[in-house]
Every structure is written in C-alpha cells, then in structure tokens.
Amino acid sequence: MKDAPASESFIRPHLRKLAAYTPIEPFEVLSKRLGRDALDIVKLDANENPYGPPPEVLEALGSMPFPNIYPDPETRRLRAALAEANNIPAENLLVGCGADELIDLLMRCVLEPGDLIVDCPPTFTMYAFDAAVNGADVITVPRLDGFRIDVPAIVEAVQQQRPKMVFLTSPNNPDGSMIAEEDLLAILKLPVLVVLDEAYIEFSQEPSRLRWVLDHPNLVIFRTFSKSAGLAGLRVGWGAFPVNLIEYLWRAKQPYNVSVAAETAACAALTNPDYLQRVRDALVSERQVLLEGLQEIPFLQPYPSHANFILCKVVRGQDAKAVKDVLAMEHGIMVRHYAKKELSGYIRISVGRPEDSRKLLSALHGLCQPGGTGAPTQAIEKE
Ligand SMILES: Cc1ncc(COP(=O)(O)O)c(C=O)c1O
C-alpha cells in the first residue's frame, strides 16, 4: 500500500505559511506559570475591564431559562436593545462572537484570495492576521509620528493598487489616538470599503460614529462588549453596516455564532447604564492618574490615550521585554510587550483599579533604584 500523504499536505498552501498567533494567557494559565494565586495577579496586558460587568449579568446568567435550546440566530433581543440604546435601526446591526469574529466574517464576504487590504500599523494585529487567513495581501501604510494615519499615502495606495478594504481604529490600539474627522471623511470618499473599529470608543470623549453607516454606503463600524462592558470572556461584539452589505453577512455567518449565555449577558449589561457609566468614569479618571505616575518613571515615555490603556516607549537604554518580564516574574504584574520590530521598544499598560496602578508604579519605581530589583537590560524569558 502506498504511504498516506503527510497530513500537512491537505492544508491550503497560503495557511501553511501563516505565522502562529500568540495569544494572551488567561488567569488560570498565568497563575500556574507565575506560581501565584489568580487574585494576586495584576492583569494589565489585554485591555480587559477589572471591574467586570454589572451585577445583573451574573444574576441573568444564573437563571437562563433555556440553555438546552439553540440560541436565536438573529440575536433579536440584543439587537433591539442595542438599536434603542444607540438610536440606530436594528436592521443595520449584526452581533458576533466578539468583534474578532466580525472582522473575519466581513473579510470572508468581501475578499477573494489575492485581494488587498490597507492596514495602518502599529494597530490591532487581527486585521493583518485575518487577511492572511483569508488569502488576502496587505498593503502596509505605517502611521506618522504621533501615530496619525498617513492619509495621502492611503489615498495613493487606494488609487494605485485598488485594495478592497481599509482598516481604521479609533481609538487606536496600541497608542490610544483618535482618527480626525477630516481624515475619515477623506478616506470615505475613496472607492474602498472603510472599516472603522471603535472597540474603545466609550473611553474617549467623542461620540461613536455608528450612525454614519446610514449615510455612507462604504462604511462599517465595529463595537464590542469586551472593554467598557467588562464581558471579554463572554465574547460579544457587534457592528453597524449599510443594509445592502449586511444582507450578505447574514447569509455567510454561522447560524449560532452568539451563545445563549453571551446574548443573555449582553442584554443584562445594557439594563444598567448607570453602572457602565460609573466604571467608564472610574477608568477614565484612573487613566489620568496612571499617565501622571508613568511620566515620573525616568525610563518610560507614556503617550496620552483616549482608551483604557497607555502605550509607553521604553528609553534610557532599558529593554522593554526585560521590563515586562521583571514585572511579571517578580511582581505578578502583566503588561503587554510586542514581538514586532516596530514596537519592540514599547510596552502597553491597561488601565486598572487605583490599587493596580499603585502596585505597578511602586514596582516600576523599584526598577529605578540601584540595588532594587535591578535596572533590567536584557530579557530573562522567552516569549
Ligand atoms: C481594536 C480592537 N478591535 C477589536 C478587538 C476585539 O474585540 P472582541 O473582544 O470583541 O473580539 C480588540 C481587542 O483587543 C481591539 O483591540
């Protein structure tokens, strides 16, 4: 009998070249790796919300009436609640298993293998990742100083290379900067589908541009319950789309992409807007406290942010990866460091509770002391 082919040979060629995704570790895994109780870990690496959702969420999850029945494929209850809360017709809204699912779903509907998207790094890495999964190629238009998007370069890329999609993020992850209105309007004039990811919009002082999809047939907006609503673990993202486009997403999506638990939790969260506002206010005011604290650390240059995280350049000869490692291994404080070359000298710190900032700032001050934990200059752990 002939040898069976190696199982790898069945994989689609473009996926064989795909770099593995490096996920953030959850509490249970971290707890084992660091040898610390989960409650003793300060998790500031994934822009999660330390306060969690309103109490109504756990109550609703504890009394879900029909967990044995498949969920509503149209998430009617949640879309109606979102429509009401955001003054936008439910027919423009679609819910997914996180905004992550919607990025992939939209690409699956729009992109043929070999099509192009425009990505403006540094930014959320899932746009380039999902483009690769979908066999599309990425035109990279790097951000300018101060992380502003390079509008003339985007215009030129669209005119010359005819990409199908441009991905924009406001506030942008990892730096927290906003997209200026004139920049967005200039890009919306182009013959390209514009995806505006507003995962962190609740932490900015500016309103969401959700309703712009009613006037711009080439605009899509993504939102999420993961950040300001504290439901990252339940996986609920949503988007606003022009009606002519959303029809095809309905056809292509998995029927049961939002679980009963996810829809129940998101609906319950929306019943307590006062709680959501209090948590948002707490994180926004803590962001200022943290920014001022970080400005006092001699080897960090923090960037002002409109989101629930602060990007810091690590300067004065310190090694960013080593700072991250010392915080994790010696203090149980997780911050984000990047393997990518253009961000390897940076760390991103999520805004937590006041006690989280105190622990972090005290550990960072310790790193400055001669004879303290030691000024780190090289990495101690492989990422
Ligand atoms: C800019 C941006 N968009 C989308 C997401 C993903 O959101 P979700 O948890 O809803 O998949 C994230 C998560 O970190 C993000 O930073």
Side-chain angles (χ1 to χ4, degrees):
M1 203 176 81
K2 271 184 82 182
D3 281 348
S7 51
E8 197 200 39
S9 68
F10 297 113
I11 299 292
R12 298 168 72 193
H14 75 276
L15 291 182
R16 279 193 243 158
K17 286 182 264 156
L18 196 69
Y21 177 68
T22 331
I24 293 288
E25 292 175 320
F27 265 142
E28 302 84 328
V29 178
L30 276 175
S31 173
K32 262 203 186 135
R33 183 161 72 78
L34 301 179
R36 280 176 192 267
D37 193 89
L39 289 178
D40 191 29
I41 296 172
V42 179
K43 197 166 177 322
L44 305 176
D45 58 348
N47 305 337
E48 291 141 334
N49 182 333
Y51 295 103
E56 285 80 357
V57 168
L58 287 185
E59 283 159 30
L61 287 174
S63 57
M64 272 186 305
F66 304 117
N68 54 321
I69 302 297
Y70 282 108
D72 175 8
E74 294 178 33
T75 46
R76 275 163 273 220
R77 201 156 69 89
L78 178 53
R79 285 171 48 242
L82 284 169
E84 166 136 10
N86 295 280
N87 186 25
I88 186 164
E91 63 171 355
N92 292 94
L93 303 180
L94 192 139
V95 183
C97 178
D100 279 348
E101 186 203 6
L102 298 179
I103 297 167
D104 179 56
L105 175 63
L106 184 61
M107 286 192 184
R108 281 198 285 125
C109 290
V110 169
L111 299 173
E112 300 278 5
D115 275 348
L116 293 165
I117 70 152
V118 171
D119 187 40
C120 304
T123 190
F124 188 43
T125 49
M126 291 303 282
Y127 316 134
F129 175 84
D130 284 322
V133 171
N134 283 286
D137 292 317
V138 176
I139 306 170
T140 298
V141 180
R143 283 166 189 263
L144 304 167
D145 277 354
F147 299 102
R148 190 163 180 180
I149 51 169
D150 187 348
V151 178
I154 294 175
V155 172
E156 193 182 310
V158 172
Q159 284 169 348
Q160 293 190 352
Q161 302 185 60
R162 296 282 160 192
K164 279 206 173 149
M165 311 171 87
V166 173
F167 281 82
L168 304 174
T169 319
S170 186
N172 187 45
N173 175 4
D175 60 285
S177 64
M178 303 291 290
I179 295 211
E181 181 146 329
E182 77 254 31
D183 288 355
L184 181 57
L185 286 170
I187 294 167
L188 279 169
K189 287 201 189 106
L190 301 171
V192 69
L193 182 60
V194 178
V195 178
L196 178 64
D197 185 341
E198 292 190 332
Y200 301 97
I201 191 69
E202 292 89 345
F203 302 109
S204 81
Q205 300 311 313
E206 292 182 24
S208 165
R209 285 153 174 153
L210 208 55
R211 282 178 55 83
W212 284 34
V213 301
L214 304 177
D215 301 321
H216 296 274
N218 61 336
L219 175 64
V220 164
I221 307 261
F222 288 144
R223 303 277 299 270
T224 182
F225 280 81
S226 295
K227 310 299 176 180
S228 97
L231 283 179
L234 272 288
R235 312 302 300 125
V236 197
W238 54 290
F241 305 81
V243 275
N244 292 342
L245 185 70
I246 203 168
E247 184 190 332
Y248 296 93
L249 278 88
W250 281 116
R251 294 186 199 179
K253 89 168 182 69
Q254 296 291 329
Y256 305 122
N257 60 330
V258 180
S259 73
V260 173
E263 184 173 17
T264 300
C267 287
L270 291 176
T271 64
N272 195 342
D274 292 345
Y275 174 96
L276 296 178
Q277 187 61 48
R278 274 203 307 280
V279 163
R280 208 172 296 159
D281 291 346
L283 289 169
V284 167
S285 74
E286 191 57 27
R287 178 175 74 201
Q288 185 58 28
V289 173
L290 182 60
L291 177 69
E292 286 167 18
L294 292 170
Q295 281 165 339
E296 286 173 15
I297 306 294
F299 60 86
L300 292 182
Q301 271 177 13
Y303 292 81
S305 163
H306 296 267
N308 65 336
F309 49 81
I310 295 177
L311 184 70
C312 301
K313 190 169 187 177
V314 179
V315 293
R316 300 220 179 162
Q318 304 286 6
D319 180 272
K321 173 86 165 60
V323 172
K324 173 209 138 145
D325 287 334
V326 170
L327 289 173
M329 305 307 283
E330 297 186 14
H331 302 274
I333 300 171
M334 306 305 298
V335 301
R336 181 85 157 90
H337 171 258
Y338 300 87
K340 281 209 165 214
K341 204 169 49 246
E342 75 262 22
L343 281 177
S344 63
Y346 293 78
I347 55 174
R348 189 198 64 200
I349 302 169
S350 306
V351 179
R353 296 158 296 187
E355 59 268 35
D356 300 328
S357 304
R358 277 197 294 274
K359 275 193 195 165
L360 170 77
L361 292 170
S362 136
L364 287 170
H365 278 293
L367 294 185
C368 309
Q369 309 297 322
T373 320
T377 51
Q378 62 179 67
I380 58 169
E381 181 208 337
K382 209 161 164 275
E383 194 168 48

